Amino acid sequence: MKDKICNASRYAVMLFLGLFLWSCEGNRTAENTEEITVDVPEQTDTARVERTGRTVDERLESLRGWMNEKVEKGDTAIKREMPEIKEDFRRRSAEIEQNLDSLSADSKAEYARLRQRYERWESRQERRQNTPLDAAELRQWRELLLREFNEVEAISPQNVREAYLTFMGVVRAKRQNWTQSDWDYVDNVYGQLNQRRRQIEGQMSNSDKLKVRALQAEYLTLEGAADTRSLLQNMRN
């Protein structure tokens, strides 16, 4: 009898321990499941943010910088890269237009201006490729626009600011009488000047860099206004 009681007692203890261990394992499983459930959305969100990339405002800022870079290139580089440039612009525009409604009114207006600026620029490049500039006439324009700085490769970090001031002084004074063909030559000289600036930019002072950027912005404004006038005249004819 005593043996039966002892065996029953041992059986009860083992059953209790088994139930206790099973309960603990169940709790650990539940705890582990809960941790995974919390972590997975965070990982998913992170991946989504990485795939989404830049905001539409950042893409607009990138397009602005991209346009400034292309405008500064010389004719030879533009001719070689034109197919890629066209495709790159279409891709950048499509990315912005997918989320155009999220832009502010000012940003939408800027995007419209950038599109118009690019279209004018592309039209000018195609016209210049179809009708190459005359080398002798280009040299005369360089002498007119840059005067003592007409040897572009000789422009130094110390006088590049004066070269831009000289160039812009002539543009301000004579732009009203220039034809579309004249602007093609002016724009070529502007590209040569910018190319030289890029070569020596690392040696320029910060104040000269700021002044040159301001003069570049003024030139692009005047050139854009001239393109608009030319377009309106063509529409009337």
Side-chain angles (χ1 to χ4, degrees):
M1 177 66 70
K2 288 182 179 180
D3 291 339
K4 290 182 178 180
I5 293 172
C6 290
N7 289 337
S9 298
R10 282 197 297 272
Y11 177 77
V13 170
M14 291 175 64
L15 180 61
F16 173 77
L17 288 173
L19 290 171
F20 176 77
L21 291 172
W22 177 84
S23 174
C24 290
E25 183 63 25
N27 288 340
R28 283 198 298 270
T29 302
E31 289 173 0
N32 290 340
T33 302
E34 183 179 1
E35 289 176 1
I36 293 172
T37 302
V38 171
D39 288 342
V40 168
E42 292 179 358
Q43 293 171 354
T44 303
D45 288 346
T46 300
R48 181 180 57 78
V49 170
E50 291 174 354
R51 288 196 299 269
T52 301
R54 297 173 296 177
T55 66
V56 65
D57 284 296
E58 289 171 337
R59 292 185 187 281
L60 180 62
E61 182 178 355
S62 176
L63 178 62
R64 186 190 313 120
W66 180 86
M67 272 300 306
N68 290 337
E69 177 191 342
K70 300 310 173 190
V71 167
E72 289 188 6
K73 284 182 175 289
D75 282 6
T76 302
I78 291 297
K79 184 176 182 179
R80 182 177 62 250
E81 300 171 10
M82 202 63 195
E84 291 79 7
I85 290 173
K86 289 181 179 180
E87 181 59 32
D88 198 5
F89 177 78
R90 292 188 182 94
R91 177 184 59 79
R92 289 171 179 271
S93 296
E95 290 173 348
I96 292 173
E97 289 174 3
Q98 285 177 355
N99 298 284
L100 194 61
D101 291 341
S102 65
L103 288 174
S104 66
D106 288 344
S107 294
K108 287 180 181 178
E110 180 181 6
Y111 173 61
R113 288 194 297 270
L114 285 172
R115 278 195 66 90
Q116 292 172 357
R117 179 182 170 194
Y118 172 81
E119 289 165 0
R120 292 194 305 265
W121 177 83
E122 182 182 296
S123 176
R124 186 185 310 116
Q125 297 307 318
E126 290 178 347
R127 185 176 65 252
R128 279 156 63 165
Q129 289 178 30
N130 294 330
T131 309
L133 302 181
D134 180 77
E137 189 171 355
L138 179 59
R139 184 170 57 253
Q140 293 175 357
W141 276 98
R142 190 164 54 242
E143 291 172 355
L144 169 68
L145 291 161
L146 295 176
R147 296 178 182 173
E148 69 268 30
F149 304 106
N150 69 86
E151 295 295 334
V152 178
E153 292 302 318
I155 294 174
S156 70
Q158 290 71 38
N159 62 22
V160 64
R161 174 175 178 157
E162 290 302 318
Y164 273 93
L165 286 168
T166 299
F167 174 85
M168 283 308 303
V170 178
V171 172
R172 294 187 197 111
K174 298 184 178 295
R175 72 183 190 279
Q176 297 293 348
N177 298 321
W178 286 342
T179 65
Q180 193 174 54
S181 177
D182 292 337
W183 275 103
D184 287 346
Y185 284 93
V186 174
D187 198 52
N188 184 283
V189 176
Y190 176 71
Q192 293 181 43
L193 186 56
N194 285 328
Q195 186 173 356
R196 179 55 181 166
R197 176 199 51 82
R198 286 194 300 272
Q199 292 172 350
I200 60 177
E201 189 170 20
Q203 305 170 57
M204 292 170 58
S205 67
N206 289 333
S207 61
D208 284 352
K209 289 178 183 179
L210 290 173
K211 182 61 177 179
V212 166
R213 287 173 191 161
L215 293 169
Q216 288 174 318
E218 181 186 359
Y219 173 77
L220 294 175
T221 299
L222 297 177
E223 181 194 38
D227 282 341
T228 301
R229 284 196 303 272
S230 177
L231 179 62
L232 292 174
Q233 289 174 357
N234 291 336
M235 291 174 63
R236 294 191 189 103
N237 295 336

